Amino acid sequence: MDDASEMLRRQQEELERIRAKRSKPLLGIRKDSVRKGLNILFLVLAVAGLGIYYFLPTHKETGFMLALSGMIIKIVEFIIRFLG
């Protein structure tokens, strides 16, 4: 039973270490908040871009640029997630 409780304690310590690493601030702001904001912005731009692209055929370039902007935002979020 000691081995199981020791293993559980080590796993809990490892989880706390990971949580502490994830919650380090990025320029004074928590990374999770930045990532959530970027994801919301990505979704809004992607939906707006696709909507304009398909439903307003005279503004296909605008829709494409909005969707492309959303993808750039998503790449930035990806970089923050994996380098941070």
Side-chain angles (χ1 to χ4, degrees):
M1 203 61 157
D2 275 339
D3 291 336
S5 62
E6 180 64 24
M7 187 185 323
L8 181 61
R9 186 187 61 75
R10 276 192 250 144
Q11 288 174 347
Q12 288 173 340
E13 287 174 356
E14 182 69 16
L15 280 173
E16 287 302 317
R17 187 186 64 75
I18 291 170
R19 286 185 184 127
K21 180 182 175 186
R22 283 187 176 178
S23 65
K24 287 182 182 176
L26 175 70
L27 300 174
I29 304 170
R30 289 189 54 196
K31 289 179 192 173
D32 291 341
S33 300
V34 172
R35 286 186 51 229
K36 285 178 188 176
L38 290 174
N39 276 324
I40 290 169
L41 186 59
F42 159 70
L43 290 172
V44 168
L45 288 172
V47 169
L50 289 175
I52 290 172
Y53 186 86
Y54 285 112
F55 296 116
L56 299 174
T58 58
H59 297 288
K60 283 191 180 243
E61 294 85 14
T62 304
F64 178 77
M65 293 307 285
L66 281 174
L68 182 63
S69 300
M71 291 304 299
I72 291 169
I73 297 289
K74 188 62 178 173
I75 291 168
V76 169
E77 186 272 331
F78 176 83
I79 290 169
I80 290 172
R81 180 175 23 159
F82 283 99
L83 293 182

